[in-house]
Amino acid sequence: MSELLQAYDQLMDDDGGFSSRVGDARVALACEMFTLDELRIDRLHDVYSFRIVYEDREEEECEDSGGEDGEPSTMQSTTTTTEVNPISIMELEAHPDDSISDLKRQIQVSFMEQWGLTGRRLDRDKIATGWELIKVITTAPRRDADRASTGLRRDDSSRDDDDDDDETKGGLEGDAATTNNDRHTDAATATAAAAAAASKEASLGVMSYHLFLHSYDVRHGDVIHAVVRKYEEGDTDG
C-alpha cells in the first residue's frame, strides 16, 4: 500500500509530476459528471460560449451578400435567449486546422484577467490550469430517437397488415376494436420512447490539447464552450 501511495504522490506532484504536465483534472471530471446547464448554475464553474467562425467561410458569405471588405473582429458578442436566462455567445475566428492548444492560447490572451486565470500554474503549453474547452455531443441521442421512430413505423405497418388479415378472415367487430386499441397503445408507447430519447441530455466532450478543430468535426457556426473552475482563496491547482 505504501508503494501505491508513493506512486500516486509522484503522479500528482506539482514539481514535474503528471499533474504539472496536464494541469487540473477536476474540470474534465466535472464535465463527465454534470450537464452543461448544471455547470452553468453551480458555484464552482463559469461557462462561456463561443461560435466558431472560419475566416474563409466568412469571406465567401461577404462576397455572396455583396458586402464591403472590412476589418474582422476576433471576438464579437451575441446574445441567445433561453427560457432560463440570456446566454452570451462570442464569435471566435479560427481555422479547421487550428489545434486546441492554439485555440486555448488565443482565448486566454483575451480573457486572462476576466476569467481569473492570472497567477495560476501554466502547463507545458503555457496554458493556465483549471479550464477546458468542450463540445456538446448529441449524436447518440439522435440515433436513439431514430431507432424509436423506426420502431414506431414498423409497428404501425405490422398492425396494418394484421388488420387486413383480420378483415379478410371476417373477424368479429369486437376483436378488431381490441386490435386497434392495442395498436394505439403501442404507438403511444413508441412515441413516448422517441420523445424520451430525443430529450436525453447531451454529453460533454472535453477537447484534447493535441487534436484539432476538424478532429471534432467543428464546423463554421458551431458553438463550443469554455468551462472555467473558480479558484477561491487558498485553492490550489491540484
Side-chain angles (χ1 to χ4, degrees):
M1 179 61 71
S2 60
E3 289 81 1
L4 290 176
L5 293 176
Q6 183 178 2
Y8 177 82
D9 290 338
Q10 291 177 350
L11 284 173
M12 303 309 295
D13 182 17
D14 287 345
D15 298 325
F18 179 77
S19 176
S20 67
R21 292 198 295 273
V22 303
D24 189 348
R26 290 174 294 182
V27 178
L29 180 61
C31 292
E32 293 182 3
M33 296 175 59
F34 302 105
T35 67
L36 188 62
D37 288 338
E38 289 171 339
L39 291 174
R40 289 188 189 279
I41 63 176
D42 75 5
R43 65 180 182 82
L44 296 177
H45 303 89
D46 288 320
V47 179
Y48 304 94
S49 301
F50 295 92
R51 189 181 308 280
I52 297 298
V53 177
Y54 290 148
E55 297 176 7
D56 53 348
R57 288 291 303 277
E58 191 176 35
E59 292 173 359
E60 291 176 3
E61 291 176 0
C62 289
E63 292 175 359
D64 293 339
S65 61
E68 297 180 358
D69 294 337
E71 185 70 20
S73 176
T74 303
M75 298 285 181
Q76 297 180 356
S77 179
T78 60
T79 300
T80 299
T81 301
T82 68
E83 295 180 359
V84 181
N85 57 355
I87 298 174
S88 177
I89 300 180
M90 294 165 282
E91 291 189 351
L92 177 62
E93 290 186 358
H95 189 277
D97 294 332
D98 284 345
S99 70
I100 304 305
S101 288
D102 289 340
L103 200 63
K104 290 187 74 172
R105 279 191 291 268
Q106 177 184 345
I107 295 173
Q108 183 172 276
V109 168
S110 299
F111 298 100
M112 192 81 170
E113 296 287 342
Q114 182 178 338
W115 291 0
L117 303 178
T118 304
R120 298 191 185 186
R121 189 181 71 243
L122 302 180
D123 63 16
R124 61 181 181 183
D125 293 320
K126 306 303 180 184
I127 298 172
T129 58
W131 71 287
E132 300 287 352
L133 288 179
I134 64 170
K135 181 185 178 185
V136 177
I137 302 173
T138 57
T139 304
R142 287 175 183 170
R143 281 202 299 266
D144 291 341
D146 290 342
R147 286 197 205 102
S149 178
T150 302
L152 172 60
R153 290 194 297 270
R154 288 176 178 172
D155 287 342
D156 285 343
S157 176
S158 177
R159 293 294 182 181
D160 288 341
D161 292 341
D162 291 342
D163 289 346
D164 291 341
D165 292 340
D166 289 340
E167 291 175 0
T168 301
K169 295 177 181 179
L172 297 176
E173 183 177 350
D175 293 337
T178 301
T179 301
N180 287 333
N181 289 336
D182 291 342
R183 179 181 63 187
H184 292 316
T185 300
D186 291 344
T189 302
T191 301
S199 62
K200 286 181 181 177
E201 186 65 42
S203 61
L204 305 181
V206 177
M207 306 176 78
S208 180
Y209 67 93
H210 65 281
L211 296 181
F212 305 87
L213 282 174
H214 66 74
S215 304
Y216 293 95
D217 195 28
V218 176
R219 304 181 183 183
H220 177 79
D222 284 355
V223 175
I224 62 175
H225 310 275
V227 178
V228 184
R229 182 177 175 87
K230 301 175 184 177
Y231 278 20
E232 299 176 353
E233 186 176 353
D235 200 359
T236 63
D237 291 336

